[in-house]
Every structure is written in structure tokens, then in C-alpha cells.
Amino acid sequence: PATSVGSIAARYLEEEELRSQHILECLNAHIEELKKESEKIVKHFGHQE
Amino acid sequence: CDSVKGLEEMRAQYIKAVSKIKCDMLCYIRESKERAAEMIKAEVSRERQSTARKMRKYYLTC
């Protein structure tokens, strides 16, 4: 049973690795969006000066 | 007045981004916990069944 528990934990961690990759991509997307949108705002309000 | 509007837009954008990040993280953590709980539950029930099988075998051979 000890080995099967080990393999189950290993599989969990393997899946967790994929999930953490995925969430990193999501967070990066949010940051990219913030960069783009804030750049637009800076440009828009910069031109008016 | 325009610079205030720009600042407000920046603030809104920033809050939006942080909220999305928080939302995603909460979701991720919740799913991780649920997955771990499922794994433990499945393993415990499997172990319980195997113990019951051993007990049956033991009493039948006695």
C-alpha cells in the first residue's frame, strides 16, 4: 500500500504541475492586459497635455 | 480634471487586474484542496476494503 500511496501522490503532483503552469499563464495574461490597457491610458492622456 | 480622469482609469484598470488575479488564485487553491481531499477519500476507502477482505479471509481460515 505504501508504494501505491507514493504513486498516487506522484500523480497528484504531476497534475498539479500542469495546473500551476496553467494558472501562471492566466496570471501573465492579466498582467499583459493591465500593461496594454494602462499604456493606452498613458498615451491617451499624454497627448492631451 | 483630465489628469484626474486618467488616474481614475488607471486605478480602475489596476483594481480589475488584481481582482482577476485574486479570483484565479482562489479558484486554483480551492481546486487543489478538493483534488487532495478526493485523493485521500479514495485511498482511505480502498484501504478499508482491503482490510475487510483480509479480515474475512482470516476468519474463514480460522
Side-chain angles (χ1 to χ4, degrees), chain B residues 23-43:
Chain B
C23 216
D24 281 359
M25 285 312 293
L26 283 176
C27 203
Y28 173 76
I29 293 165
R30 198 195 65 232
E31 284 174 6
S32 289
K33 284 182 188 166
E34 281 171 2
R35 270 161 31 79
E38 276 310 309
M39 194 185 83
I40 292 166
K41 233 189 275 173
E43 192 55 24

Side-chain angles (χ1 to χ4, degrees), chain A residues 1 4-5 8 12 15-16 19-20 23 26-27 30-31 33-34 37-38 41-42 45 48, chain B residues 2 5-6 9-10 13-14 16-17 20-21 24-25 28 31-32 35-36 39 43 46-47:
Chain A
S4 78
V5 170
I8 286 164
Y12 176 86
E15 286 169 15
E16 199 64 15
R19 277 163 37 77
S20 66
I23 195 166
C26 289
L27 299 188
H30 298 326
I31 292 167
E33 194 192 352
L34 176 60
E37 293 301 313
S38 62
I41 296 166
V42 168
F45 287 91
Q48 291 183 341
Chain B
D2 258 353
K5 215 176 147 228
E9 263 183 49
M10 280 296 209
Q13 203 61 47
Y14 179 80
K16 197 174 125 197
K20 281 184 184 173
I21 289 171
D24 281 359
M25 285 312 293
Y28 173 76
E31 284 174 6
S32 289
R35 270 161 31 79
M39 194 185 83
E43 192 55 24
R46 212 179 60 83
E47 206 58 35

